[in-house]
Amino acid sequence: MPTEITKTYSGAEVVAKALKDQGVDVVFGIVGIPVVEVAEAIISEGIKFIGFRNEQSLSYAAGAYGFLSGRPGVCLVVSGPGVVHALAGLVNAQANCWPLLLIGGSSDTYQQGMGAFQELDQITLCKPYSKISTRPSSISQIPNVIDKAIKTSIYGRPGPVYIDLPANFIQGSITYESMNLPGRATDSPKSLADPRCVEEAVRLLLSAKKPLIIIGKGAAYSCAEKEINELIKKTRIPFLPTPMGKGVVSDSHPLCVSAARSKAIANADVIILLGARLNWILHFGAPPKFSKDVKFIQVDILPEEHNNNRCIHVALLGHLPLVVSQLLSCLPSSFNHPSTSDYIQSLRQKIDENVASTNEKFKDDTIPMSYHRAFWEIKKRLPQKDIVFVSEGANTMDIARSIFDVHEPRCRLDAGTLATMGVGLGFAIAAKVYYPSKRVVAIVGDSAFGFSAMEIETAVRAHLPMIIIIINNNGIYHGLDIESYNATSLNALPSTALLPDVRYDLIADATGGKGYFVRTPQELDDAMEEALKDNEKVTVINVMIQPGGRKKLEFAWMETTKPKL
């Protein structure tokens, strides 16, 4: 009988043991040749395996899991087309700076260049979109390669990594003695900012008449909520969260100026960027959205991010919670921005005006419902705590951002830096896996839902109860009502039009969940009440709203000064 030392392990078993050794507790995947054995070995090791219906969705789930957990979300896919489809999540994780480990099967090494089954140079394919893209040199090296990949994914600015697993490595074997398990990769080393730069930042802050703090999703990822709350409490500086920075400080905080976003960024003379980048989401920090004279203090972990798009007057390089603690230590104990300043009063006045305007929109009794009326019926039913809010879609996500408050960090997920549609169901599944005791509510557009609709079956099969609310306007941005649709010839339909009144809710019924089809505020309120009573099922609420017709498409949130060509 073989001893532990002489016993052999397949490459698949080595992968599973290495992942277990790293503390991996869930893998998102789709099986097929040559990774079936890997998935079975993962399950045998006690790691949860969630089988998806599409590689795009599982790779999005892995990225979101990385954001929520601070460790790489792991996904497993087949060779060739499987890796190609999962590339979507790899790119999305890269754009959002989320840790992700993609493991892809590949053809046998001895068949390279022979036209093998699903043969593809996957290492080269993934290389531009990952921090490392590699293949172990032998079966015995698999644990070391996984260890290096995980460290690379979380060290410095987080990002995705790719490991290529040839079929003959998966099916080959080694002895226990040859298998070196390095143990769980240690967390990323953390650094402080240059003390001289901290002092310079404090001097600039003390001179500010209209300061503003912008909280990005980097602040959420780095778990900086304690330090940032202390900073705002001490300084009394108003703050603006980016979409996934919401909840680091509660949206209900009196210094939150989300409802006066445009005025706040246009008037600020000194802005502290905490884990936020001056990309399209913040209009590149450029006029006219921002003042041409504004001075930026930026805290970031990546040197190359500083002075990107706008001059950064003080660059604070380091781990965000530590750097904020440095600022707190250096600020005079007596410093706080006066709540009676004209700047603060003008922001409060604008907040009151915008909130009043939004509240009027909530009262719209038109049928079909408007976005605002539908969102009000949803909002008044949702709990304030222990909820994860997932949002995607064009108008659906854009309008919802200013309506639904978030009170806890890392509890809002949306299309993110890459503005990726189709992430909703994958994100919701990842959120429910990571937060089993929290309610997961995804509010998605009908077009966005279509990208990943069959993952409803994945959620039901994995026993992951959640509420999916589809805001259905029969189209992408705008759709047509059924009469207009039927009266229009096929070749004359707008490119944005989808089939009217599609019963997406029946997907839930067909897979063992519960679906609701609603047209009125009362029906939506009733459906929300029933859905929140049931914490055992996947619920889909299909909400019909105003289609919008043939309105001209406008994207005001992308406006910025355009260079002359």
Side-chain angles (χ1 to χ4, degrees):
M1 187 172 180
T3 65
E4 185 71 14
I5 298 296
T6 59
K7 184 180 177 182
T8 60
Y9 293 89
S10 69
E13 291 173 315
V14 174
V15 172
K17 288 185 179 298
L19 292 175
K20 182 75 171 181
D21 194 51
Q22 289 289 347
V24 173
D25 52 11
V26 62
V27 172
F28 308 95
I30 294 180
V31 299
I33 298 172
V35 298
V36 176
E37 296 98 326
V38 178
E40 292 300 320
I42 283 169
I43 294 168
S44 294
E45 284 294 327
I47 299 172
K48 188 179 184 70
F49 181 83
I50 298 180
F52 275 67
R53 305 300 297 268
N54 181 281
E55 287 94 354
Q56 287 186 11
S57 292
L58 70 86
S59 63
Y60 294 146
Y65 195 84
F67 170 65
L68 298 174
S69 69
R71 303 285 291 189
V74 180
C75 49
L76 176 71
V77 300
V78 302
S79 52
V83 174
V84 171
H85 294 163
L87 195 64
L90 201 73
V91 175
N92 194 62
Q94 182 191 56
N96 285 288
C97 309
W98 291 348
L100 177 152
L101 169 56
L102 171 61
I103 300 174
S106 62
S107 51
D108 295 299
T109 55
Y110 58 84
Q111 293 180 346
Q112 187 172 339
M114 298 173 64
F117 177 74
Q118 294 185 335
E119 183 180 357
L120 183 67
D121 185 357
Q122 295 159 187
I123 297 172
T124 300
L125 178 71
C126 296
K127 195 166 189 176
Y129 311 107
S130 51
K131 294 181 75 174
I132 59 167
S133 180
T134 188
R135 170 190 288 178
S137 58
S138 64
I139 299 172
S140 63
Q141 281 299 307
I142 289 173
N144 292 326
V145 169
I146 289 176
D147 180 64
K148 181 177 180 179
I150 288 176
K151 287 175 181 173
T152 303
S153 183
I154 60 176
Y155 283 19
R157 171 172 280 180
V161 291
Y162 173 70
I163 295 177
D164 200 63
L165 282 182
N168 53 319
F169 284 23
I170 292 171
Q171 294 159 0
S173 61
I174 59 171
T175 63
Y176 178 84
E177 194 174 28
S178 304
M179 183 172 57
N180 174 39
L181 296 176
R184 188 179 190 271
T186 55
D187 292 337
S188 176
K190 297 173 175 60
S191 60
L192 295 165
D194 184 333
R196 293 169 299 179
C197 293
V198 174
E199 291 172 1
E200 186 180 351
V202 168
R203 284 194 295 271
L204 183 57
L205 197 56
L206 293 176
S207 70
K209 303 299 183 185
K210 300 176 182 179
L212 178 67
I213 295 172
I214 296 181
I215 302 171
K217 66 174 173 283
Y221 176 83
S222 64
C223 301
E225 53 268 20
K226 177 179 178 290
E227 293 80 5
I228 293 175
N229 272 275
E230 288 180 9
L231 179 66
I232 290 168
K233 181 179 179 180
K234 177 180 177 62
T235 64
R236 308 298 298 167
I237 294 174
F239 70 92
L240 172 70
T242 63
M244 275 189 274
K246 288 166 75 73
V248 170
V249 182
S250 172
D251 283 342
S252 62
H253 194 288
L255 288 169
C256 179
V257 293
S258 290
R261 180 183 189 273
S262 296
K263 187 176 183 66
I265 63 176
N267 288 356
D269 59 357
V270 174
I271 293 177
I272 309 175
L273 298 168
L274 299 179
R277 294 175 283 172
L278 292 177
N279 55 23
W280 68 273
I281 294 175
L282 288 175
H283 315 285
F284 312 104
K289 295 290 186 179
F290 287 75
S291 167
K292 64 181 178 62
D293 298 318
V294 65
K295 293 179 170 60
F296 290 101
I297 300 167
Q298 185 173 30
V299 183
D300 204 278
I301 201 168
L302 184 73
E304 291 84 351
E305 190 59 49
H306 298 297
N307 296 299
N308 188 22
N309 294 323
R310 280 297 296 268
C311 172
I312 299 300
H313 292 76
V314 184
L316 298 176
L317 180 68
H319 181 55
L320 203 148
L322 295 181
V323 176
V324 175
S325 292
Q326 287 180 278
L327 288 170
L328 283 164
S329 297
C330 200
L331 280 164
S333 58
S334 60
F335 172 75
N336 63 71
H337 188 74
S339 59
T340 56
S341 71
D342 291 343
Y343 168 60
I344 293 291
Q345 294 305 312
S346 68
L347 289 176
R348 285 177 177 164
Q349 180 180 349
K350 189 63 177 177
I351 288 169
D352 291 343
E353 291 173 3
N354 288 345
V355 168
S357 174
T358 299
N359 287 341
E360 283 301 311
K361 293 176 182 178
F362 289 156
K363 300 175 184 177
D364 186 353
D365 289 328
T366 308
I367 303 296
M369 288 179 282
S370 65
Y371 281 101
H372 283 84
R373 183 54 189 269
F375 288 160
W376 168 244
E377 296 300 327
I378 297 165
K379 179 177 180 175
K380 70 183 186 181
R381 284 285 183 184
L382 291 181
Q384 294 295 301
K385 297 285 186 180
D386 293 323
I387 181 170
V388 182
F389 184 79
V390 180
S391 180
E392 73 162 332
N395 299 326
T396 298
M397 183 178 68
D398 192 39
I399 297 170
R401 172 176 51 82
S402 61
I403 291 175
F404 294 95
D405 294 332
V406 182
H407 304 288
E408 298 170 294
R410 296 169 296 284
C411 285
R412 188 183 192 279
L413 296 163
D414 68 14
T417 305
L418 204 59
T420 307
M421 293 299 106
V423 297
L425 270 293
F427 281 9
I429 289 170
K432 191 61 182 178
V433 173
Y434 187 71
Y435 293 123
S437 63
K438 290 183 184 288
R439 282 278 190 180
V440 174
V441 177
I443 302 180
V444 302
D446 52 327
S447 170
F449 176 73
F451 282 86
S452 57
M454 278 311 297
E455 303 306 341
I456 293 293
E457 186 273 336
T458 302
V460 171
R461 174 167 35 87
H463 301 288
L464 298 171
M466 60 186 66
I467 300 173
I468 310 297
I469 303 171
I470 303 166
I471 304 300
N472 189 348
N473 70 345
N474 300 334
I476 306 169
Y477 305 114
H478 303 134
L480 300 177
D481 60 42
I482 195 163
E483 292 80 10
S484 300
Y485 185 93
N486 289 337
T488 306
S489 67
L490 183 61
N491 291 335
L493 284 172
S495 61
T496 59
L498 299 175
L499 198 65
D501 297 357
V502 174
R503 294 295 303 275
Y504 300 112
D505 50 292
L506 296 180
I507 299 176
D509 292 332
T511 56
K514 176 64 178 175
Y516 296 89
F517 183 70
V518 304
R519 293 184 182 274
T520 68
Q522 187 59 56
E523 290 173 349
L524 177 52
D525 182 67
D526 291 344
M528 285 297 299
E529 182 180 16
E530 291 301 312
L532 288 166
K533 285 179 184 176
D534 188 349
N535 202 17
E536 300 296 325
K537 283 190 174 182
V538 175
T539 300
V540 173
I541 304 175
N542 187 8
V543 185
M544 299 308 304
I545 67 164
Q546 298 165 10
R550 299 176 185 270
K551 292 180 182 177
K552 180 182 177 182
L553 297 179
E554 295 180 353
F555 306 103
W557 47 270
M558 289 188 68
E559 289 178 2
T560 187
T561 302
K562 297 179 181 178
K564 294 181 180 180
L565 299 178

